[in-house]
Amino acid sequence: MTIGLYHYLVLAVTLFAIGFFGVLLRKNTLIIYMCLELMLVAATLALVAFSRFNGTIEGNVFVFFILTVAAAEVAVGLAIVVALFRRRGTVDVAKLNALKN
């Protein structure tokens, strides 16, 4: 059995769907953050698969930019989560309602 583009795309869509529903259904900000990263990895996997099966290098180069942005995103996102936890004492999204009223 050979692994084709279809298999990579099914895996990417599955990972993206898991991340998407994780963002919608979970309450913990760290879990939501990890689900967002899972969605980013799914998009990256699709880009690499398209690049490989089209025989071009543009997708691989674009992935390096995505990884760079993801590294910065991780630093900023985790800093925000840690700051929220220090200030509020919780990472539950339902309890972070300072701007609600």
Side-chain angles (χ1 to χ4, degrees):
M1 177 180 163
T2 60
I3 298 176
L5 179 62
Y6 173 75
H7 297 98
Y8 286 109
L9 292 180
V10 167
L11 178 62
V13 168
T14 304
L15 289 175
F16 192 88
I18 291 170
F20 181 72
F21 286 114
V23 168
L24 289 180
L25 299 176
R26 300 302 296 239
K27 300 287 185 189
N28 188 331
T29 54
L30 284 175
I31 302 296
I32 291 171
Y33 189 70
M34 289 177 12
C35 290
L36 285 172
E37 291 296 321
L38 189 62
M39 292 168 62
L40 186 64
V41 167
T44 304
L45 178 65
L47 280 174
V48 169
F50 279 125
S51 175
R52 179 172 180 250
F53 283 96
N54 287 329
T56 60
I57 191 113
E58 288 89 6
N60 292 336
V61 172
F62 195 61
V63 166
F64 284 117
F65 288 116
I66 289 174
L67 291 177
T68 305
V69 171
E73 176 194 341
V74 165
V76 172
L78 286 179
I80 290 171
V81 170
V82 169
L84 274 173
F85 181 74
R86 284 183 179 171
R87 186 167 180 96
R88 306 285 176 160
T90 183
V91 289
D92 189 6
V93 175
K95 294 179 182 175
L96 298 174
N97 56 5
L99 298 177
K100 197 170 188 176
N101 294 325

